[in-house]
Amino acid sequence: MDDFDLKFPDNFLFGTAVSAYQIEGAWNKDGKSESIWDRHCHEKTGIVRKNYDGDVAIDHYNRYVEDLDLLKELGANSYRFSLAWTRILPEGTGWVNLKGIEFYNRLIDGLLERGIEPVVTIFHWDLPAALQEKGGWANREVINWFTEYARVCFKYFGDRVKYWITLNEIYVFTYRGYSLGVIPPCIRDYKMAVKAAHHALVAHGSAVKLYRQTGLNGKIGVALDLVPKTAGSERSEDKYAAEVANATESFYFYDAIVKGAYPELAVKVLKEKNYWPDDIDEKELKTASEKIDFLGVNFYGQQTVVYRKGAGRFDSEIISANAENVAYDNKPCADDCFKLMMKIKEDTGGRLPVIITENGMGSNTDVVSRQEELNDGFRIDYIKKHLTALKKAIDSGVDVKGYFYWSAFDNFEWNWGYDQRFGLVYVDYEDDLKRIKKKSFLWYKEFLEEQGRMRKGKI
């Protein structure tokens, strides 16, 4: 091991993260129905690069045993994955597909047999197409649909799953899906997006409340993509533009869940622009802010914003970013991660545990050499910087409980298709989806072994 010898708490969760649509494949096998991502990709709209789809993805549905063995070799003590709603409730509601239940039972049992804690995300963007035909997240009934789905998940898996995440990145699947129209369901209606976001928040809270009622002995939270916005200059216009961006985007959801209220500035500008739906009942935020056991943070970076008359929805423009595309310009943003952890501590008095549910670096230059060695030192450097920032946050009193690198495997990266690789494991799409361990895999493995030795007092 190199000189990277930070010691994390003994019960710290170290793992990797994936989602169902991105890795499973078997899109119509064993009773699974079509999700909005299946339909979107099958329609070949051109939004996804090269019209790729997730029909096969990395074939995890059939090769999960091989993949679990790789996770065991890695030495991670936990693994975050999502359930496919369409594999469990093919019509979105109603009859339960027992073959789908059996698959996830095998997956969960396989993890536990290998000493790996399952961390389950109930929803990671793949809404059943049957429910989108009824309005999807913009239909208030989605609160009941999602709660029913969560009930089935708790019933069949709650005896073994001790960590639950209700929704992944509410901002993305509501605002990017219903306002920007860049992901399914590809609608461009800002007011509808605000309504969809409200329904998702209430659905999240409803599922948390339901979990409490089950009496299951586990922890439940949510995963938010928190992308802090900073002003591009000291000009008052730029500062205000950044404030509006923070209030109306990531921290809109954060405030609703953590503070029980939408940011006042967000409500003000949404109403001024006539984006505020008349039927939103802010009293429902009491449900949305149902006490969570941890806040999942998907952290990829920050964005710099300036005022630009007529730009965007609120006269602002992003002039630089190391969020989402951090991986593509290789600009680690660990300092911003530390600052965000300190903000959460300040807002919550340090009483809300945090788990980094996603943090990763993608690249379109990962290439296997003749010796089948993949030297992705830039990815190792990225992980080191962020782990250092998290250890600094822990030492500063932030209750950080875990870190999940995105992702365990190269996979279908949404609109980027297969052209961006985030995995610790290389997947050879040209050679039978062969799995090849990258240098980052070997480094992370050694780091985790080092953590184990330090816990046992052998160092």
Side-chain angles (χ1 to χ4, degrees):
M1 188 67 187
D2 53 25
D3 59 355
F4 190 76
D5 58 357
L6 301 179
K7 184 179 185 300
F8 283 79
D10 290 350
N11 59 352
F12 198 81
L13 294 174
F14 276 114
T16 57
V18 297
S19 85
Y21 185 76
Q22 294 178 269
I23 68 168
E24 284 182 2
W27 77 273
N28 61 352
K29 186 174 180 179
D30 293 337
K32 183 186 176 297
S33 67
E34 191 178 41
S35 74
I36 57 174
W37 271 92
D38 290 316
R39 181 166 295 180
H40 171 69
C41 290
H42 293 161
E43 289 175 349
K44 306 298 181 186
T45 62
I47 293 179
V48 176
R49 292 186 184 183
K50 301 177 184 177
N51 284 322
Y52 285 127
D53 58 49
D55 288 5
V56 176
I58 68 168
D59 197 28
H60 177 73
Y61 187 80
N62 295 305
R63 302 173 67 156
Y64 74 94
V65 173
E66 175 187 0
D67 292 340
L68 294 187
D69 286 343
L70 281 166
L71 295 174
K72 179 178 173 62
E73 181 182 346
L74 179 65
N77 61 16
S78 50
Y79 175 63
R80 179 190 170 209
F81 65 96
S82 76
L83 306 171
W85 193 334
T86 50
R87 205 176 288 287
I88 294 172
L89 295 174
E91 296 175 3
T93 61
W95 72 279
V96 177
N97 178 28
L98 294 182
K99 287 188 176 180
I101 297 295
E102 289 167 4
F103 169 71
Y104 290 118
N105 275 332
R106 292 194 300 271
L107 184 61
I108 291 166
D109 291 344
L111 287 165
L112 293 172
E113 289 165 3
R114 292 165 175 79
I116 303 170
E117 190 77 49
V119 178
V120 173
T121 305
I122 301 174
F123 178 77
H124 196 129
W125 303 4
D126 48 353
L127 188 76
L131 296 185
Q132 186 58 50
E133 290 170 0
K134 298 178 181 179
W137 290 100
N139 183 340
R140 183 177 179 77
E141 275 301 301
V142 75
I143 299 169
N144 295 324
W145 300 334
F146 180 72
T147 306
E148 177 187 345
Y149 169 44
R151 187 187 304 277
V152 173
C153 297
F154 298 151
K155 174 183 176 180
Y156 285 98
F157 314 125
D159 60 328
R160 288 152 294 149
V161 174
K162 304 305 180 185
Y163 289 89
W164 292 93
I165 294 167
T166 55
L167 303 171
N168 181 75
E169 299 183 344
I170 305 173
Y171 168 77
V172 176
F173 70 79
T174 57
Y175 278 76
R176 293 179 69 83
Y178 287 83
S179 172
L180 297 176
V182 294
I183 65 168
C186 301
I187 294 170
R188 298 194 176 192
D189 184 328
Y190 199 94
K191 184 177 285 190
M192 184 182 293
V194 175
K195 181 181 293 189
H198 183 78
H199 294 160
L201 285 163
V202 178
H204 149 76
S206 177
V208 173
K209 187 175 182 178
L210 173 65
Y211 188 71
R212 304 293 183 217
Q213 293 169 350
T214 65
L216 290 167
N217 184 29
K219 300 182 184 300
I220 190 166
V222 66
L224 300 180
D225 54 317
L226 297 184
V227 186
K229 308 294 192 296
T230 58
S233 77
E234 291 299 313
R235 295 193 310 158
S236 59
E237 299 97 323
D238 290 344
K239 289 182 177 180
Y240 182 70
E243 289 176 10
V244 171
N246 275 318
T248 56
E249 295 186 18
S250 299
F251 290 99
Y252 181 82
F253 303 91
Y254 169 87
D255 279 16
I257 292 172
V258 173
K259 302 178 181 179
Y262 289 126
E264 291 183 7
L265 178 58
V267 176
K268 173 179 176 291
V269 297
L270 288 171
K271 288 182 176 178
E272 287 175 351
K273 294 283 189 177
N274 194 33
Y275 292 143
W276 190 258
D278 295 333
D279 56 351
I280 280 188
D281 182 357
E282 291 186 68
K283 293 179 182 177
E284 290 181 315
L285 292 186
K286 182 178 180 180
T287 297
S289 58
E290 188 80 19
K291 186 176 184 299
I292 53 178
D293 297 307
F294 63 89
L295 176 66
V297 175
N298 293 357
F299 183 81
Y300 291 90
Q302 62 85 38
Q303 293 176 331
T304 303
V305 177
V306 295
Y307 170 82
R308 191 84 71 221
K309 181 68 174 176
R313 301 280 183 179
F314 304 106
D315 298 325
S316 63
E317 180 179 348
I318 297 171
I319 58 170
S320 70
N322 60 1
E324 281 192 29
N325 59 343
V326 57
Y328 318 132
D329 57 18
N330 289 344
K331 293 180 182 177
C333 40
D335 288 345
D336 301 307
C337 182
F338 173 75
K339 292 174 185 176
L340 177 60
M341 295 299 102
M342 297 305 292
K343 169 182 167 53
I344 294 171
K345 176 192 174 187
E346 181 180 351
D347 289 344
T348 65
R351 292 184 295 272
L352 180 60
V354 178
I355 297 176
I356 300 300
T357 38
E358 286 183 28
N359 174 245
M361 171 169 278
S363 170
N364 59 8
T365 61
D366 290 8
V367 178
V368 177
S369 71
R370 290 182 182 177
Q371 294 75 33
E372 293 191 344
E373 292 181 347
L374 205 156
N375 188 353
D376 55 342
F378 59 89
R379 187 170 286 112
I380 296 171
D381 183 60
Y382 179 91
I383 297 172
K384 283 183 179 180
K385 283 183 167 64
H386 284 85
L387 288 176
T388 300
L390 290 179
K391 183 61 168 62
K392 180 180 176 183
I394 291 170
D395 293 342
S396 300
V398 184
D399 190 10
V400 184
K401 296 290 191 183
Y403 172 86
F404 290 82
Y405 176 79
W406 183 276
S407 177
F409 315 96
D410 291 340
N411 57 46
F412 177 85
E413 277 297 338
W414 308 115
N415 284 359
W416 291 287
Y418 298 97
D419 286 351
Q420 290 293 342
R421 296 176 178 270
F422 279 80
L424 299 176
V425 175
Y426 183 94
V427 177
D428 192 336
Y429 302 118
E430 304 300 321
D431 185 10
D432 193 33
L433 301 176
K434 184 177 181 180
R435 274 72 160 149
I436 301 171
K437 289 166 280 190
K438 302 180 186 180
K439 290 290 181 65
S440 56
F441 178 102
L442 301 175
W443 180 88
Y444 198 30
K445 174 184 177 181
E446 191 173 355
F447 167 75
L448 295 177
E449 289 173 348
E450 188 92 345
Q451 291 296 305
R453 288 193 289 270
M454 285 191 283
R455 283 195 296 273
K456 294 176 182 177
K458 295 183 178 180
I459 294 180

